[in-house]
């Protein structure tokens, strides 16, 4: 018997009665129903998560940040309700506990009393880690617990990014304030350097002037000391001068009469004597004035001597002070020179530090803070992309359906015609005939399953012809495997 004849004979046997045809059609539909329902049921399992009841408890009392009252827990709860990813309901702590226990809610998420304060402490010297309380009950649904953990992780990630962005913004604003301070300090240091340089030059001139002053004061002190030494004899000399002048005046007072008598005796006329006598009288008056002046000088000489002594003492003090001033001016000049050098170095260091801190704007700092809080972005370039979760699982479910379909067909299909094998003695042709029948039926199953997946379920394969061909290849391969197992192990 030829291979084609054996295939025809097997198909005739399978369709010989209505019951046979019904059984064959039922088994042919097994992979279609199995694969179709699995693909339909898993097409988008997350599409109705908003129907999953979940409780939110907001015990957070808020805190103050930058003179503004914030409540991160309430804000996050409101955002969750608005997103409608789950069927969130804001309730009290007692309602949430009773609801999860009784199965009214699949899980609950609690924002504790100090949630905002703990979050805000991230920028403080003693930060405290904020906590979310997730309450689940696996007796309600283990899947709901898994979903609850994913929801809590998503909330945690969003809040972490928000807090990280705020902390980074605070840090960047502080850096900007530091930069402003550095700029002001640099300007001040520049002005200080200029003023110190000018002051240093003035101090140098002052040192030179005080040095000259000290030298002059020393000379003055020496001169007044000598004058003081000589002024000690002044009262005595003035007294002697007064006595001598008085004697001269007394002597001259009698001279005109004697001289007049002598001139008369000599035969000088009175008219010729008059100028001589007038002159003698004037000389006598002058001597008298000298005597009076000397007497007055003698009276004032002690006071003069005392004044000269005081002046000498003052000159000595002035000399000492001028010397000290000269020394201090020299030290001031050296100190101001160091100040000028130091302020110049400070100005250079501040300018260097300022150059390393870039200028920013409020918008730029906000953008940088956002980048720091979320530094990595995933830019996906998909060569081929499944349209939903079910499409991603389609290769698995289609392959599983193909295996089950072939396995079920061998409940009707005979793996091997023993009569043909004995009569014809062509094992290869007979085995090939035993494979072709389930392979053809499996191919029909795959065509039907392909039609259900693409037309009824709306899946869109990137390469439709390639997918259908591969489905048929997988089915006929499974037919060969099951055929071989039946031949080797028997129809157990």
């Amino acid at each position: 018997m030829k291979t084609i004849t054996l295939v025809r004979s097997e198909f005739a046997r399978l369709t010989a009665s209505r019951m046979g045809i019904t059984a064959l059609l039922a088994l042919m539909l097994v992979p279609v129903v199995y694969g179709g329902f699995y693909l339909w049921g898993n097409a988008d399992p997350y599409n109705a998560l908003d129907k999953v009841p979940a409780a939110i408890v907001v015990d957070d009392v808020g805190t103050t940040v930058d003179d503004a009252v914030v409540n991160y827990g309430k804000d996050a709860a409101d955002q969750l309700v608005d997103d409608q990813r789950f069927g969130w309901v804001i309730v009290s702590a007692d309602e949430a506990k009773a609801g999860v226990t009784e199965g009214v809610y699949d899980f609950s998420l609690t924002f504790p009393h100090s949630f905002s304060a703990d979050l805000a402490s991230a920028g403080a010297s003693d930060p405290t880690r904020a906590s979310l309380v997730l309450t689940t009950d696996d007796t309600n649904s283990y899947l709901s617990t898994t979903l609850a953990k994913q929801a809590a992780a998503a909330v945690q990630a969003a809040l972490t990014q928000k807090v990280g962005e705020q902390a980074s913004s605070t840090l960047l604003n502080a850096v900007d304030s530091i930069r402003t301070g550095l700029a002001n300090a640099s300007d001040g240091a520049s002005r200080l350097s200029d003023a110190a340089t000018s002051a240093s030059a003035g101090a140098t001139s002052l040192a030179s002037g005080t040095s000259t002053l000290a030298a002059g004061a020393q000379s003055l002190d020496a001169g007044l000391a000598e004058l003081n030494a000589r002024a000690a004899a002044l009262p005595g000399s003035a007294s002697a001068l007064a006595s001598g002048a008085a004697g001269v005046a007394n002597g001259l007072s009698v001279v005109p009469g004697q001289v007049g008598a002598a001139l008369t005796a000599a035969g000088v006329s009175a008219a010729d004597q008059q100028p001589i006598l007038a002159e003698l009288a004037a000389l006598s008056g002058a001597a008298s004035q000298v005597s009076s002046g000397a007497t007055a000088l003698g009276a004032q000489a002690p006071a003069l001597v005392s004044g000269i002594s005081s002046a000498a003492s003052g000159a000595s003090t002035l000399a000492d002070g001028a010397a000290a001033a000269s020394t201090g001016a020299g030290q001031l000049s050296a100190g101001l020179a160091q100040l000028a050098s130091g302020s110049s170095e400070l100005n250079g260091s501040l300018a260097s530090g300022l150059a390393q801190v870039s200028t920013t704007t409020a918008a730029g700092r906000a953008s940088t803070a956002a980048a720091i809080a979320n530094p990595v972005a995933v830019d996906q370039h998909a060569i081929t992309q499944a349209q939903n979760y079910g499409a991603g699982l389609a290769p698995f479910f289609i392959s599983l359906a193909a295996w089950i379909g072939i396995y079920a067909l061998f409940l009707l299909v005979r793996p091997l015609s023993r009569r043909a094998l004995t009569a014809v003695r062509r094992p290869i042709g007979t085995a090939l005939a035993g494979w072709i029948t389930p392979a053809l039926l499996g191919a029909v199953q795959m065509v039907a399953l392909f039609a259900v997946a693409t037309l009824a379920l709306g899946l869109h394969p990137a390469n439709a012809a390639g997918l259908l061909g591969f489905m048929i290849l997988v089915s006929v391969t499974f037919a060969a495997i099951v055929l071989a197992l039946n031949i080797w192990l028997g129809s157990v």
Side-chain angles (χ1 to χ4, degrees), residues 63 72 112-123 127-131 163:
T63 188
Y72 295 124
H113 182 274
S114 61
F115 185 75
S116 292
D118 293 340
L119 278 182
S121 70
T128 302
R129 186 177 185 181
S131 299
V163 173

Side-chain angles (χ1 to χ4, degrees), residues 465-481:
L467 174 61
L468 179 58
F470 190 74
M471 289 172 62
I472 294 174
L473 174 63
V474 168
S475 179
V476 299
T477 302
F478 286 164
I481 293 174

Side-chain angles (χ1 to χ4, degrees), residues 1 11 20 31 33 60 179 218 239 259 275 278 296 370 380 392 421 434 453-454 489:
M1 300 175 70
F11 272 111
V33 173
D60 187 11
R179 188 188 188 284
Q218 290 290 341
S239 178
V259 173
Q380 181 179 359
L421 183 62
T454 56
L489 304 179

Side-chain angles (χ1 to χ4, degrees), residues 230-244 294 297-299 301-302 305:
R230 294 183 180 184
L234 180 60
S237 299
S239 178
L241 176 61
S243 297
L297 176 61
V305 171

Side-chain angles (χ1 to χ4, degrees), residues 6 14 147 149 156 203 224 233 249 252 260 298 314 347 349-350 358 365 443:
L6 292 175
L14 293 174
L147 295 175
K149 292 179 180 179
Q156 180 186 25
L224 286 175
L252 289 176
N347 182 35
S349 298
L350 289 174
S358 58
R365 291 192 296 274

